[in-house]
């Protein structure tokens, strides 16, 4: 742990395991208790007034310094992701690049936000400006291990809040590297704290403490709803309303129109469904295909998926690695069993010899999936694609919009009229036309959804 600039050891430690080779321990990190959380909150509260009153330009400069350090450590940081989270090299590099983008984009944005604004009539001198809130708790997932933790923390810090980073158990080593980078960039002690630990153990203290002003969470719907309840309660001694930023899951669909360019559509769906083994909140887990193209599309998606070589993330010839841990693998296998009972399994990738070595689940494709089947409604967060046949665009849109989520969506079509209509009627946070639906870029495609996918704010955007 790093609390108030000091390294703190704990009797209990968490092993971080390489998902590609379960016998390999990538690192060991401390595991915070509720007492540590209370200490970190007190130190962050103490450091807040000075950080709040620091020149916003100096805070922005700190982010730019951190970005430069990351750039100089780009391959090392990507390497940690390959071994700790089983990102392949290309995806790992993209995550580091995204973290750098967040730092530079939020630095740039802060310089604009810091400009005084006022709407004056003669004789008046009005000023409108933003105030930092106080202590921000940042709770991050493992699937974009550096970018998401870095982006949420950078946004809190640059706007003048102090921050407590609670990374996911599966990516706590990469988070430790981020803590190193903040320190190297010259952040004053007490402004940011590193508090790895088990979510269920430290989460309630962090979310319910009266001195916490803001919780920024990216993760599952279940935990998001717990935090929503906890942050809404007024703790004794609390004198403010807590703000919760929650970015949750998705059940994202791509619609394939009957005039779609099949080469593009097949590539886009396979990349969106199986990139990083389907473990992206933006991943496509449903392909909704108009009947005339359905059979040929399905055949080609299956053949393309068959060509993905499964193996350890560090092997650059493997496009498809393991999922993050054994718990995730077992959960995904449970969904595959449910799929077999409700739909037609048309492809099951066989991980072969590597199966006992790591947390491997091959890509799975189901056809004839009913829109209300479990695998068409619940977020699986793994390599499982449900293909749904429809008779026309009306039905496609009804099914695409017919889940609890509204995060990403896509359309492959050559019809200007259908593209116009889908832009209006497919109601998701990020909609992509004639391309894959993952890989939003900071600033260019501000990212985030609504319904039960999130509160509607955008990461890497104005919010
Ligand atoms: P998760 O909800 O299991 O864990 C996320 C974080 O919450 C971890 O740091 C974990 O330790 C912590 N946590 C767990 N229980 C807690 C509790 N009771 N109180 C406080 N914190 C607690 O999610 P995950 O498995 O790390 O990530 C996968 C999920 O994240 C998926 O649902 C995915 O869709 C979502 N996600 C969303 C976005 C987005 O931008 N919308 C981006 C990435 C991931």
């Amino acid at each position: 742990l790093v609390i108030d600039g000091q390294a703190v050891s704990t009797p209990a430690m968490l092993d971080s395991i390489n998902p590609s080779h379960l016998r390999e321990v990538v690192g060991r990190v401390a595991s915070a208790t509720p007492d540590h959380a209370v200490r970190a909150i007190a130190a962050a509260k103490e450091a807040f007034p000075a950080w709040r009153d620091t020149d916003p330009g100096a805070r922005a400069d700190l982010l730019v310094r951190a970005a430069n350090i990351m750039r100089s450590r780009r391959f090392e940081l990507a390497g940690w992701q390959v071994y700790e989270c089983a990102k392949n090299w290309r995806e790992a590099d993209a995550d580091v690049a995204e973290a750098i983008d967040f730092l530079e984009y939020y630095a740039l944005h802060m310089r604009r936000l810091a400009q005084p604004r006022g709407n004056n009539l003669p004789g008046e001198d009005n000023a409108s400006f933003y105030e930092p809130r106080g202590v921000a708790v940042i709770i991050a997932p493992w699937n974009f291990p550096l970018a998401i933790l870095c982006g949420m923390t950078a946004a809190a810090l640059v706007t003048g809040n102090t921050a407590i980073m609670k990374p996911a158990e599966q990516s706590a080593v990469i988070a430790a590297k981020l803590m190193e980078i903040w320190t190297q960039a010259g952040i004053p002690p007490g402004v940011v704290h590193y508090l790895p630990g088990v979510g269920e153990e430290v989460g309630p203290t962090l979310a319910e403490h009266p001195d916490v002003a803001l919780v920024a969470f990216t993760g599952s719907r279940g935990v998001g709803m717990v935090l929503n309840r906890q942050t809404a309660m007024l703790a004794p001694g609390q004198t403010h309303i807590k703000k919760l930023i929650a970015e949750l899951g998705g059940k994202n669909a791509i619609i394939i129109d009957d005039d779609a360019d099949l080469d593009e559509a097949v590539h886009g769906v396979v990349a969106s469904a199986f990139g990083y083994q389907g473990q992206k909140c933006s991943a496509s887990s449903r392909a909704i295909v108009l009947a005339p193209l359905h059979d040929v599309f399905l055949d080609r998606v299956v053949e393309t998926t068959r060509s993905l070589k499964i193996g350890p993330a560090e092997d650059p010839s493997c496009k498809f690695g393991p999922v993050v841990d054994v718990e995730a693998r077992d959960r995904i296998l449970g969904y595959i069993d449910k799929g077999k009972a409700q739909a037609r399994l048309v492809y099951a990738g066989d991980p072969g010899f590597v199966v006992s070595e790591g947390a491997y689940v091959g890509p799975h494709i189901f056809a004839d999936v009913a829109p209300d089947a479990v695998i068409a409604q619940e977020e699986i967060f793994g390599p499982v694609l449900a293909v749904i046949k429809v008779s026309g665009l009306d039905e496609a849109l009804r099914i695409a919009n017919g889940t609890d989520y509204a995060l990403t969506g896509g359309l492959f079509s050559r019809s200007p009229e259908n593209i116009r209509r889908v832009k209006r009627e497919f109601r998701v946070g990020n909609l992509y036309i004639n391309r894959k639906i993952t890989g939003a870029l900071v600033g260019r495609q501000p990212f985030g959804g609504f319904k039960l996918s999130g509160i509607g704010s955008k990461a890497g955007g104005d919010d």
Side-chain angles (χ1 to χ4, degrees):
L1 317 179
V2 180
I3 298 176
D4 208 9
Q6 301 296 315
V8 177
S9 306
T10 58
M13 300 285 281
L14 298 172
D15 282 350
S16 188
I17 306 290
N18 181 348
S20 302
H21 307 283
L22 294 172
R23 283 160 305 181
E24 272 181 31
V25 176
V26 176
R28 306 190 72 209
V29 297
S31 181
T33 62
D35 279 351
H36 294 116
V38 169
R39 275 168 60 189
I41 293 166
K45 183 183 178 188
E46 175 85 20
F48 173 62
W51 186 242
R52 176 193 62 201
D53 297 338
T54 300
D55 171 40
R59 297 198 302 256
D61 290 343
L62 179 110
L63 265 57
V64 173
R65 284 200 297 281
N68 288 337
I69 296 167
M70 271 187 200
R71 214 175 262 114
S72 70
R73 296 175 64 175
R74 180 168 170 180
F75 298 122
E76 179 218 338
L77 293 168
W80 282 111
Q81 300 202 14
V82 172
Y83 290 99
E84 192 178 32
C85 296
K87 289 252 171 194
N88 68 28
W89 286 99
R90 177 185 283 260
E91 302 256 2
D93 183 55
D95 186 73
V96 178
E98 187 177 4
I100 294 169
D101 284 351
F102 273 127
L103 290 165
E104 296 197 328
Y105 177 82
Y106 287 144
L108 194 74
H109 223 64
M110 187 66 230
R111 295 190 210 279
R112 283 193 217 126
L113 271 180
Q115 298 299 320
R117 272 166 296 165
N119 195 1
N120 290 329
L121 289 180
E124 292 182 359
D125 184 8
N126 301 310
S128 168
F129 56 90
Y130 288 98
E131 281 274 330
R133 290 173 177 272
V135 178
V137 166
I138 314 295
I139 306 179
W142 47 265
N143 69 330
F144 288 93
L146 185 63
I148 293 181
L149 180 65
C150 173
M152 293 196 292
T153 309
L157 292 175
V158 80
T159 46
N161 304 283
T162 51
I164 297 170
M165 301 196 293
K166 190 347 233 147
E169 294 84 324
Q170 299 91 335
S171 56
V173 173
I174 296 160
K177 300 291 146 192
L178 176 60
M179 186 65 217
E180 263 172 37
I181 289 168
W182 290 129
T183 309
Q184 230 181 319
I187 197 145
V191 171
V192 65
H193 309 261
Y194 169 64
L195 206 76
V198 177
E200 294 83 348
E201 288 174 16
V202 280
T205 306
L206 291 169
E208 291 171 8
H209 197 285
D211 291 335
V212 167
L214 158 75
V215 176
F217 171 75
T218 303
S220 62
R221 166 178 165 179
V223 175
M225 291 302 103
V226 169
L227 290 170
N228 193 36
R229 208 171 47 243
Q230 289 170 337
T231 52
M233 289 184 312
L234 194 66
Q238 183 179 327
T239 54
H240 57 273
I241 297 167
K242 264 180 216 166
K243 182 177 168 81
L244 173 69
I245 298 170
E247 305 288 343
L248 312 176
K251 190 67 199 174
N252 313 305
I254 298 180
I255 298 173
I256 317 294
D257 202 355
D258 58 10
D259 67 350
D261 179 326
L262 259 188
D263 290 339
E264 295 286 329
V266 167
H267 171 76
V269 167
V270 171
S272 306
F274 300 128
Y276 193 36
Q277 295 75 257
Q279 303 172 111
K280 299 182 186 178
C281 51
S282 52
S284 173
S285 52
R286 299 182 295 154
I288 301 174
V289 191
L290 271 77
L293 274 195
H294 176 271
D295 293 355
V296 56
F297 170 83
L298 186 61
D299 284 350
R300 288 182 54 179
V301 164
V302 166
E303 291 312 314
T304 305
T305 306
R306 201 189 300 281
S307 74
L308 302 175
K309 184 174 166 199
I310 305 174
E314 78 275 7
D315 178 347
S317 75
C318 295
K319 279 263 170 77
F320 192 98
V323 295
V324 74
D325 57 21
V326 169
E327 204 183 317
R329 178 187 68 194
D330 293 347
R331 197 196 61 246
I332 295 163
L333 290 174
Y335 273 109
I336 290 169
D337 281 344
K338 284 183 191 153
K340 286 179 186 162
Q342 291 189 315
R344 178 164 62 96
L345 179 62
V346 289
Y347 182 69
D350 179 8
F353 73 97
V354 285
V355 74
S356 56
E357 177 73 17
Y360 293 90
V361 193
H364 282 67
I365 302 171
F366 287 92
D368 303 334
V369 182
D372 60 352
V374 170
I375 60 163
Q377 287 291 324
E378 292 183 17
E379 185 187 47
I380 300 171
F381 218 58
V384 181
L385 176 68
V387 180
I388 302 170
K389 190 196 248 180
V390 290
S391 58
L393 200 55
D394 285 344
E395 190 185 1
L397 278 164
R398 197 168 58 247
I399 291 170
N401 286 323
T403 72
D404 297 344
Y405 297 100
L407 191 51
T408 64
L411 168 71
F412 283 90
S413 174
R414 286 193 254 221
S415 153
E417 180 48 37
N418 287 356
I419 292 173
R420 262 196 300 276
R421 179 166 175 214
V422 169
K423 277 187 186 171
R424 261 193 330 263
E425 295 181 30
F426 191 177
R427 303 204 56 84
V428 289
N430 286 59
L431 180 67
Y432 300 90
I433 313 291
N434 292 326
R435 55 154 280 181
K436 65 175 181 165
I437 67 170
T438 54
L441 292 174
V442 170
R444 275 162 55 192
Q445 291 110 19
F447 186 81
F450 55 100
K451 286 170 79 179
L452 287 173
S453 292
I455 59 162
S457 63
K458 295 286 191 180
D462 286 353
D463 307 320

